[in-house]
Amino acid sequence: MAKHKDIDISEDNEVKQCLQYCHDMGTVVYFDEKNLADHVILDPKWLINALRCLVSDKIDNVIEVSDDWETLTDTGQLTDALISLLFKKEPELNFEENKAHLIEVMKRFDIIVNLKKSTALYMPCMIKSCSFSKFKSSLVTKINHFTKLAGYV
């Protein structure tokens, strides 16, 4: 399409500039970054619908009673299986086929994050907050528990 005589864009750099301009205007979603540069989302509403599958209060009862859902609501950790289940809420939009790229886009927007040196995915908006003292007492309890298991006490 870019090489059409009326458009006459033939250099990769010009294509990237065009895509960046369209991204800035809001007509496409494009990032010239590792893991993202090979994909262009031509319909931003499609991306919004994908995000809505994960960040929504409309969850099927089957999902709500799953272990993966309980893990998400308890710790904020999002499993691959749960992502697939949630994407099935809109099967006609083929989110599952594009799951790897959608996850990278969601990471770019900080909707999903990896913790350091971990492949586990987390949704920061689902991580429960607590006071530092509660966290500290929980950590001390866990350390004492592990120490007892290791036979150091």
Side-chain angles (χ1 to χ4, degrees), residues 14 17 34 44 63 66 68 74 77 84 103 145:
E14 291 175 325
Q17 287 177 348
K34 183 182 175 186
I63 295 172
S66 72
D68 291 335
D74 286 346
Q77 185 175 2
S84 294
I103 288 172
H145 176 71

Side-chain angles (χ1 to χ4, degrees), residues 5 12 15 19 22 30 44 51 54 61 79 88 94 106 133:
K5 64 180 175 132
D12 284 348
V15 173
L19 288 171
C22 291
Y30 169 75
L51 301 176
L54 299 183
N61 289 338
T79 63
K88 287 179 184 175
N94 301 319
M106 288 186 228
S133 60

Side-chain angles (χ1 to χ4, degrees), residues 16-84:
K16 288 180 180 184
Q17 287 177 348
C18 179
L19 288 171
Q20 188 60 53
Y21 175 77
C22 291
H23 173 85
D24 293 344
M25 298 303 295
T27 56
V28 301
V29 178
Y30 169 75
F31 298 102
D32 188 13
E33 301 170 7
K34 183 182 175 186
N35 297 332
L36 294 172
D38 290 341
H39 294 83
V40 178
I41 297 174
L42 300 175
D43 182 7
K45 179 121 173 75
W46 178 85
L47 176 61
I48 291 167
N49 288 332
L51 301 176
R52 192 176 288 145
C53 284
L54 299 183
V55 184
S56 172
D57 60 350
K58 296 178 183 175
I59 306 298
D60 294 335
N61 289 338
V62 175
I63 295 172
E64 281 186 349
V65 296
S66 72
D67 290 340
D68 291 335
W69 181 258
E70 189 172 318
T71 299
L72 175 65
T73 57
D74 286 346
T75 66
Q77 185 175 2
L78 186 61
T79 63
D80 190 62
L82 183 58
I83 292 171
S84 294

Side-chain angles (χ1 to χ4, degrees), residues 1-19:
M1 186 167 84
K3 291 180 181 178
H4 187 275
K5 64 180 175 132
D6 292 337
I7 299 173
D8 196 31
I9 296 176
S10 57
E11 300 295 322
D12 284 348
N13 189 40
E14 291 175 325
V15 173
K16 288 180 180 184
Q17 287 177 348
C18 179
L19 288 171

Side-chain angles (χ1 to χ4, degrees), residues 68-135:
D68 291 335
W69 181 258
E70 189 172 318
T71 299
L72 175 65
T73 57
D74 286 346
T75 66
Q77 185 175 2
L78 186 61
T79 63
D80 190 62
L82 183 58
I83 292 171
S84 294
L85 276 174
L86 293 170
F87 278 165
K88 287 179 184 175
K89 294 190 313 185
E90 300 283 345
E92 68 281 357
L93 296 177
N94 301 319
F95 296 137
E96 187 66 25
E97 290 175 23
N98 299 286
K99 181 167 68 172
H101 178 66
L102 284 167
I103 288 172
E104 291 301 319
V105 171
M106 288 186 228
K107 285 180 186 179
R108 174 62 170 77
F109 287 119
D110 293 329
I111 294 168
I112 295 175
V113 298
N114 288 104
L115 298 181
K116 287 184 178 181
K117 298 180 183 179
S118 172
T119 58
L121 298 173
Y122 289 86
M123 288 182 67
C125 67
M126 295 296 285
I127 296 174
K128 295 178 182 176
S129 63
C130 67
S131 68
F132 180 73
S133 60
K134 184 176 180 181
F135 172 76

